[in-house]
Amino acid sequence: MKFRRKIEEIEGKVQRKIQEVEDKVQVKMEEVEEKVQVRIGDLEKRLSELEDRPINFPANPDLTYSRPTVKSLTFDGQTSWTVFKTQFDVVSSANGWNNRVKASQLVASLRGSAAEVLQGIPFDKLTDLMTIENALEARFRDSHLTQFYRTELKTRRQKPGESLRVLAADVERLMSLACAECPQNVRDSLAAQNFVDAIRDEDTQHATRLIYVKDLKSALAYSMKYEAAKNVSKTSRNVRSIEIEDGTGKEKDEKFDCLLETLEKLLNSHVARKKTPRRNPNVTCWKCNKKGHLQRECQTISPNREKLMYGRLTGRRLPFLNKALRKD
């Protein structure tokens, strides 16, 4: 009996020990689970923050590339290399490209005959911006076209229907291509002179030439003012001429009405005369001595007139023809 009690006591102690251990493990698990949940919440919060902002990885500066914000250009050798180079530099600056990226973008922008220049550049130099630009400069620089642009500028004339503003813009373009190396004041003076020479209307051209204009902007402003004033003056003259024509038309209408009134009076008087009673039937004609008509209304043919008519019918020449005609 004692041995069994001892065993029961030991089992009770073991059970209590086990229960204590289970309770401690349960508490520990609850603490760990709580910490894990807090950790998971922190990780989710940091992950959402990372998704909302760009990730900046440390990289080699030479290989740094940013997404372009301005669309790249293309060059085929048919347009001005100087203009394209200026536009390409502006786009490169806006996109934040370094020289290595600029070189790759420049190579990708070449088309046609301009892309053929790459065949003469070594493969290991295709990422060197200076080498590519020098090759394109040697092939497509605008210096050999200077004389062509000067001739085009000298022979430029305003086209029918072309506005003065469009003409001035084209003159300025040709001026920048033909005299790129000239000082700014010389370019301004030459541009104004060529613009005046290109004006189509002689009056506007002479009026603009008579005043002193130091640059193209002043020449354009004065010529546009003169052209506007001339158009207003022409419109006012047309309005006055229309008014004058309207006045003469009214006078003509008045004269026509007066003439119609006179004709109406004459017709009324003629109708009234016809409605008058017939003359006296006893009136005697002095030509035929018959009654009922006057001499001017007599239908009787005189003997001389009868002979004349007979001569015309027979074709004879009557000797008394002239005498009879004179008597009649």
Side-chain angles (χ1 to χ4, degrees):
M1 294 294 292
K2 290 182 181 179
F3 182 73
R4 184 175 294 177
R5 288 178 185 174
K6 193 69 173 178
I7 292 173
E8 290 177 356
E9 289 178 358
I10 293 172
E11 287 179 355
K13 289 181 181 180
V14 171
Q15 290 293 335
R16 288 193 297 270
K17 194 68 175 178
I18 292 173
Q19 187 66 35
E20 290 177 359
V21 171
E22 288 180 354
D23 293 341
K24 289 181 180 180
V25 171
Q26 185 68 28
V27 172
K28 194 69 174 178
M29 289 178 61
E30 290 178 356
E31 292 178 356
V32 171
E33 185 178 359
E34 184 179 357
K35 290 181 180 179
V36 169
Q37 292 295 333
V38 172
R39 187 64 177 172
I40 291 174
D42 294 338
L43 291 175
E44 290 179 350
K45 183 178 180 181
R46 292 186 61 185
L47 182 60
S48 63
E49 292 177 354
L50 291 175
E51 290 178 350
D52 293 338
R53 66 181 182 180
I55 302 175
N56 296 324
F57 295 100
N60 188 349
D62 293 336
L63 300 178
T64 301
Y65 175 74
S66 60
R67 176 178 290 182
T69 58
V70 181
K71 187 178 180 181
S72 302
L73 307 173
T74 58
F75 179 68
D76 57 358
Q78 302 298 322
T79 57
S80 173
W81 160 252
T82 304
V83 175
F84 171 78
K85 179 67 167 52
T86 303
Q87 293 177 329
F88 183 78
D89 291 340
V90 172
V91 172
S92 301
S93 177
N95 293 332
W97 295 338
N98 56 29
N99 289 340
R100 193 178 185 86
V101 176
K102 286 177 65 176
S104 61
Q105 289 293 325
L106 181 58
V107 170
S109 65
L110 299 180
R111 301 287 188 275
S113 59
E116 296 176 358
V117 177
L118 301 176
Q119 297 178 359
I121 302 176
F123 182 77
D124 57 344
K125 294 292 184 180
L126 290 177
T127 56
D128 184 15
L129 179 63
M130 188 64 66
T131 301
I132 299 173
E133 287 184 348
N134 290 338
L136 293 170
E137 183 81 19
R139 175 75 179 274
F140 299 106
R141 63 172 178 258
D142 300 335
S143 58
H144 65 287
L145 298 175
T146 301
Q147 188 61 39
F148 169 76
Y149 290 130
R150 289 179 180 176
T151 304
E152 187 176 358
L153 177 64
K154 189 175 182 180
T155 58
R156 182 68 166 87
R157 294 295 180 270
Q158 185 180 10
K159 301 175 184 178
E162 185 180 26
S163 65
L164 293 173
R165 193 184 299 276
V166 175
L167 175 63
D170 193 50
V171 169
E172 186 176 8
R173 178 187 68 84
L174 293 174
M175 197 69 206
S176 63
L177 295 173
C179 304
E181 299 178 355
C182 296
Q184 186 63 38
N185 57 346
V186 176
R187 291 173 58 183
D188 292 340
S189 178
L190 291 176
Q193 180 180 352
N194 284 278
F195 170 74
V196 175
D197 293 340
I199 295 177
R200 183 181 182 87
D201 185 69
E202 294 183 359
D203 295 338
T204 306
Q205 183 186 90
H206 294 163
T208 309
R209 198 188 303 277
L210 288 175
I211 67 169
Y212 173 73
V213 287
K214 59 182 180 179
D215 54 13
L216 179 60
K217 184 177 180 181
S218 302
L220 175 62
Y222 180 83
S223 60
M224 291 181 66
K225 289 180 181 179
Y226 182 86
E227 188 179 57
K230 183 179 178 181
N231 292 335
V232 170
S233 177
K234 186 184 296 184
T235 304
S236 62
R237 286 199 301 269
N238 291 337
V239 171
R240 287 198 298 270
S241 63
I242 292 173
E243 291 177 352
I244 293 172
E245 289 178 359
D246 291 342
T248 55
K250 292 180 180 179
E251 293 178 359
K252 291 180 179 179
D253 291 340
E254 292 177 358
K255 292 180 179 179
F256 184 72
D257 293 339
C258 183
L259 180 60
L260 285 178
E261 186 178 356
T262 304
L263 289 175
E264 187 176 1
K265 290 180 179 180
L266 291 174
L267 288 173
N268 292 334
S269 62
H270 181 71
V271 172
R273 187 183 303 169
K274 280 192 172 184
K275 289 182 179 180
T276 55
R278 294 184 178 181
R279 64 177 62 90
N280 188 2
N282 296 323
V283 67
T284 304
C285 175
W286 292 0
K287 185 175 182 180
C288 63
N289 295 325
K290 294 181 180 180
K291 295 182 178 182
H293 64 274
L294 299 176
Q295 181 180 359
R296 63 174 178 271
E297 300 174 355
C298 184
Q299 300 296 328
T300 304
I301 301 175
S302 63
N304 294 336
R305 181 72 62 180
E306 186 177 358
K307 292 179 180 180
L308 177 62
M309 292 179 64
Y310 178 76
R312 289 179 179 176
L313 292 173
T314 56
R316 300 182 200 173
R317 290 186 177 273
L318 301 177
F320 56 89
L321 180 59
N322 295 333
K323 187 183 296 185
L325 290 175
R326 281 196 298 272
K327 285 183 179 181
D328 288 342

